[in-house]
Structures are given as C-alpha cells and as structure tokens.
Amino acid sequence: MAATRLSRRTLAASLAAALPLTRIATAQETWPTRPVRVIVPFAAGGSTDILARLVSQHLAEPLGQQLIIENKPGGATNIAAEYVVKSRPDGYTLLFGAAAMSTNPSLLPSMPYDLFRDLAPITVIGRTPLVLVVHPAVPARTVGELLELARSRPEGLNYATGGNGTIPHLASELLRSLADVRLAHVPYRGQATAMPDLLAGRVPMMLESIPPLLPVIRNGQLRALAVAEPERLAVLPEVPTLAESGFPGFSAAAWNALWAPAGTPAAIIARVNRDANAVLREPAVQARFAELGARPVGGTVEEMDRFLRAEVAQWAEVIRRSGATAN
C-alpha cells in the first residue's frame, strides 16, 4: 500500500513538473495566430517610432503575422509601459521601449510599475549615439579646448538639451562632473526646439543624439568635437570619442529595446529574441540603421537584463550627484 502511495506521489510530481514544459511547447507551436501589437511610447515620426516600424516590418515575415504599431506617448514613457504591464502576457502585446525607462525610477517620485518585476526583457534593439557639438563661432576644436574655454569664463558655458532628465541632459551632467567645469543647463521642449538657438549661436554647445545633428555637422553649421561611444562612428570617422578626449570609459547613448509583460511564456520570449536578432543582422536593416545614425545591438535576454541594471545604476548615481529632475 505504501509503495502504491509513493508511486502515485511520484507520478503526480512528474506530471506537475511536465506541465510548464507542455505549456511552453504549446505556446511555441501555436503562437502567433493573429497580429501582434507593438506599443511605442512616443508619437509617430520620431526616431523611436521609425525604428519600431522598421523592425516590426521585418519581424512580420519570420513570425508569419503582421505587427501593428500603436503610439502611446506621454508620461516619460510610463503611459505606454504601464499599458503593456497591464496587458495579457500572451505574446500579443510587446513594448518597444526607450532609455528613459532606465532613468525614470530615479527621476520620478513614484512609478506605476517595476522595470524588473513587471516586464520581461527580450533584447536591446539599437543604440543612437550622442555627439558633442558647438557653434562654429566657438573658438574650440577639441574637447580639451572647449573645457579650457569654460574654465576661463566666470559664468562657464551654457549647453542646450531637449529637456530635463533626458539622457543627453544626464550625459552632459556626467561630463560636467568628470571635467569639473561650470556648465549651465538650458532645457528646451524637445530637441527640435533647441536647434534654432544652437544654430544661431545663442547657445554654444550641445551633447545630443546624432540623427538631427548629422546633416548640420556635414554642412558646417555645427562642429562635432566628440562622440560618446566606446568607438568612433562610421558616419563621423574623423570625430574622436570622449574616451580619446580624456574621459576613459565614457559611454552614453539613447537606446531602444523590446519587452513583453512579465509572465509571457518563455518560448515566446525566446522566439521573438531569436527572430529579432536575425532581423538586426539583415544588411538592409543595418543600412537603414546607419542612415538614421543608429546601430543595431541585439543579444540574449540575459545580456539585456545586465545592460538594464547597469544603465539604471549609472544614471541613478548621476541623478543623485547632479540633483537633476524631470521638471
């Protein structure tokens, strides 16, 4: 009798252990059977939206279903992220998120979700490098000369950004802290609204994402002094890195990544990861990224998790030291 009870317990335990595997296998075999929604936390037409549409278009073929973009701007990406967090974890709602998601926990007094508990990472899609530019009237042709100029003036130098708490703002504060110079922040309502004053020389410098700056660098309206990437960029090969300019290890970029709601079956996460990485290796996709001044990244779920934790920690320290806010 005891042997029978033991046998039944063993059988029950074996069945229970097999159930998650069965669910994973079923999800992998049947998903997706209808279109997948990709939630974008910014308005249509911006760089995140453009990349989301590019990747989604190419993902449709291996997935065998259309990916539909839904723009839900506002709340510094929180509106879109919270919407995805509250969606069913069935693989039919994904988030094409952005770098602000790593700074919000330190910038905002409260958060409607937990980045690591409520969302499942899939893969980092791409990085959009930052470039330090000055107006041609500024008598500095290197980062060192620019910093000496700032030190020579009691009021230092002003720098423009597209807003408080953005990655360019925090990266500029990191540079100011490391260089120990006086740099005053002039925030605008978006990158586009800062450009007229920068081009007119009313604000002498900016450390900002490269896409809107590339044309005016190439036509001589602005001078590029350095890029905030570990290596030089193919689109600006003559421009040194900040690491080469006296700031070893300096790296800051806007970036985008894919998430799903926490609890999404592991097999679905694995399939999107695999297919997204394949898409990012396609020559046509890589060429389009280059045109936009971005570079594809990809990688495993575990690599994305480590990347996110490093970003959150880095910017939390910058925010603490600088007193930066989102307002």
Side-chain angles (χ1 to χ4, degrees):
M1 190 68 174
T4 302
R5 284 197 297 271
L6 180 60
S7 176
R8 286 174 179 168
R9 288 194 193 104
T10 303
L11 178 61
S14 298
L15 288 172
L19 279 174
L21 296 176
T22 303
R23 291 193 190 102
I24 289 172
T26 302
Q28 193 171 26
E29 290 167 4
T30 62
W31 180 89
T33 60
R34 53 187 170 87
V36 176
R37 294 184 303 161
V38 178
I39 310 302
V40 176
F42 300 106
S47 58
T48 294
D49 177 74
I50 292 170
L51 289 177
R53 292 176 189 276
L54 171 67
V55 172
S56 296
Q57 177 187 351
H58 285 260
L59 261 178
E61 183 175 349
L63 292 181
Q65 289 288 341
Q66 183 181 9
L67 280 76
I68 300 172
I69 300 293
E70 290 188 18
N71 299 90
K72 293 186 180 295
T77 71
N78 276 350
I79 290 175
E82 186 178 13
Y83 179 85
V84 173
V85 164
K86 293 180 177 178
S87 299
R88 291 184 62 184
D90 55 9
Y92 290 99
T93 305
L94 304 177
L95 175 66
F96 197 93
M101 294 172 63
S102 66
T103 61
N104 284 344
S106 299
L107 283 170
L108 303 179
S110 63
M111 287 284 290
Y113 70 96
D114 185 285
L115 180 63
F116 298 104
R117 182 193 64 212
D118 299 326
L119 289 168
I122 299 175
T123 193
V124 179
I125 293 297
R127 286 171 64 91
T128 303
L130 306 185
V131 58
L132 176 63
V133 295
V134 295
H135 188 270
V138 175
R141 294 190 171 274
T142 67
V143 173
E145 290 176 0
L146 180 68
L147 298 177
E148 284 306 311
L149 180 64
R151 292 188 183 100
S152 71
R153 299 180 178 183
E155 72 281 9
L157 290 174
N158 292 339
Y159 71 90
T161 74
N164 285 309
T166 59
I167 292 293
H169 173 208
L170 299 179
S172 299
E173 285 299 304
L174 177 58
L175 178 62
R176 179 194 61 76
S177 174
L178 293 172
D180 192 24
V181 295
R182 186 182 297 275
L183 299 176
H185 183 211
V186 183
Y188 289 79
R189 288 186 174 274
Q191 190 182 62
T193 60
M195 289 298 288
D197 281 354
L198 186 66
L199 292 172
R202 288 186 286 271
V203 182
M205 62 180 286
M206 175 186 263
L207 178 61
E208 190 51 272
S209 58
I210 197 170
L213 297 176
L214 196 55
V216 291
I217 291 171
R218 286 174 169 165
N219 68 19
Q221 289 179 276
L222 294 176
R223 182 187 306 128
L225 299 187
V227 293
E229 281 289 276
E231 299 177 355
R232 294 193 183 198
L233 303 178
V235 291
L236 293 171
E238 73 286 357
V239 179
T241 66
L242 278 167
E244 292 177 279
S245 305
F247 299 93
F250 195 106
S251 179
W255 49 262
N256 298 106
L258 270 178
W259 282 267
T264 300
I268 292 177
I269 299 291
R271 182 172 176 191
V272 179
N273 175 278
R274 180 196 68 197
D275 291 345
N277 274 279
V279 163
L280 294 174
R281 290 192 294 267
E282 293 179 14
V285 172
Q286 293 187 346
R288 181 60 176 144
F289 266 74
E291 289 173 4
L292 295 168
R295 67 178 181 86
V297 177
T300 66
V301 170
E302 293 77 17
E303 287 170 337
M304 176 171 166
D305 182 74
R306 288 195 295 270
F307 169 77
L308 288 175
R309 292 181 188 278
E311 285 285 289
V312 169
Q314 171 177 280
W315 298 126
E317 182 63 14
V318 173
I319 291 164
R320 184 187 67 79
R321 289 186 177 183
S322 67
T325 67
N327 301 312

